[in-house]
Amino acid sequence: PAAPPGAVRQSLRELEVINTLLGGYAVALSGLERLRRQGLLAGPTRIVDFGCGGGDVLRRIARWGRARGLALGLIGVDINPLMVDYARQAAGNDYPEIRFAQASIWEPALDALAPDITLCSLFAHHFDEPELVRLVQRMAGTARRAALVNDLHRHWFAFYSIKAITAAVSRSPLVRYDAPLSVARSLTRAEWQTVLAQAGVARYELRWMWAWRWRLLIYK
């Protein structure tokens, strides 16, 4: 929150490139495709993105949904007003199916959004284990059909790779600092399984995907 607005906008633009090249969007879209094939996106479907950041994931989902004739209503929630302002400007008038709200994901008022699908992308690793258990419970408890988590896999290769890539190509100090730190704070399969057990989640799919990411689907 204390970072200069210009630096934040630069980092968000660079993260869109990184997510395109290293599979960040592909993980989320593949999860939604799996839900679609299971019939869980039939009819009007409301998707709420917890910690939406710059809203880039929702813009990709909107285009994906249009191409498949899906009736999606997309809501991005972020506590940081700078993120919400950036997301709204980036969406402009081109994405009428998306709206954004500045709010904490813990606010009880968000329950009124009644999401069919809850989503978080590259957000879970910001929490310590007790908070992550609470996040999983929040997402699973709020969603009427399923929850989708897209996050990083903690591994030495992923850590040193992203550290080298961002050092070589990024002009953003935030990205160069945050990218390897995000990998260091992310989870292994065993740690995700522990979190899910503590959260009381029994019906889920946890799949490893390129590049060093987890796709977690939690079913109601």
Side-chain angles (χ1 to χ4, degrees):
V8 173
R9 287 191 288 269
Q10 172 68 23
S11 69
L12 291 172
R13 288 192 292 268
E14 288 193 8
L15 288 174
E16 289 192 35
V17 176
I18 291 171
N19 280 326
T20 299
L21 296 177
L22 298 182
Y25 301 126
V27 173
L29 295 178
S30 73
L32 291 174
E33 179 64 25
R34 177 146 178 79
L35 294 177
R36 185 182 74 87
R37 293 181 179 182
Q38 293 170 336
L40 293 176
L41 299 186
T45 301
R46 179 173 293 174
I47 300 175
V48 175
D49 184 3
F50 286 8
C52 67
D56 50 318
V57 174
L58 290 181
R59 296 196 300 275
R60 296 293 180 113
I61 291 173
R63 297 199 294 270
W64 174 88
R66 291 173 188 176
R68 287 153 183 80
L70 300 176
L72 301 181
L74 308 174
I75 303 173
V77 177
D78 203 288
I79 197 171
N80 189 329
L82 185 59
M83 296 292 187
V84 174
D85 288 344
Y86 178 95
R88 286 174 175 154
Q89 291 173 12
N93 297 320
D94 297 329
Y95 297 91
E97 63 267 64
I98 306 177
R99 60 188 175 99
F100 296 96
Q102 181 196 340
S104 165
I105 62 168
W106 310 117
E107 288 186 16
L110 292 185
D111 294 345
L113 296 177
D116 298 294
I117 308 293
T118 52
L119 164 73
C120 74
S121 290
L122 304 180
F123 184 56
H125 60 258
H126 291 282
F127 298 89
D128 60 24
E129 186 172 294
E131 291 174 329
L132 184 53
V133 170
R134 185 182 173 203
L135 174 65
V136 169
Q137 291 172 329
R138 175 74 164 142
M139 292 182 66
T142 306
R144 295 191 291 193
R145 302 178 194 171
L148 169 58
V149 177
N150 162 26
D151 216 276
L152 302 168
H153 171 206
R154 190 177 76 251
H155 190 278
W156 66 266
F157 184 83
F159 177 85
Y160 288 108
S161 295
I162 198 64
K163 190 176 182 68
I165 291 170
T166 54
V169 304
S170 174
R171 294 189 300 166
S172 167
L174 291 177
V175 170
R176 292 196 297 269
Y177 174 80
D178 187 65
L181 178 61
S182 294
V183 176
R185 289 182 56 89
S186 59
L187 277 65
T188 64
R189 179 182 292 275
E191 289 167 342
W192 266 116
Q193 291 170 335
T194 297
V195 166
L196 291 163
Q198 292 179 6
V201 172
R203 296 188 62 222
Y204 68 88
E205 296 177 3
L206 181 60
R207 178 179 176 182
W208 188 93
M209 298 186 68
W210 180 258
W212 304 99
R213 296 175 186 265
W214 295 116
R215 188 190 76 190
L216 171 63
L217 289 169
I218 300 171
Y219 297 97
K220 296 294 285 188

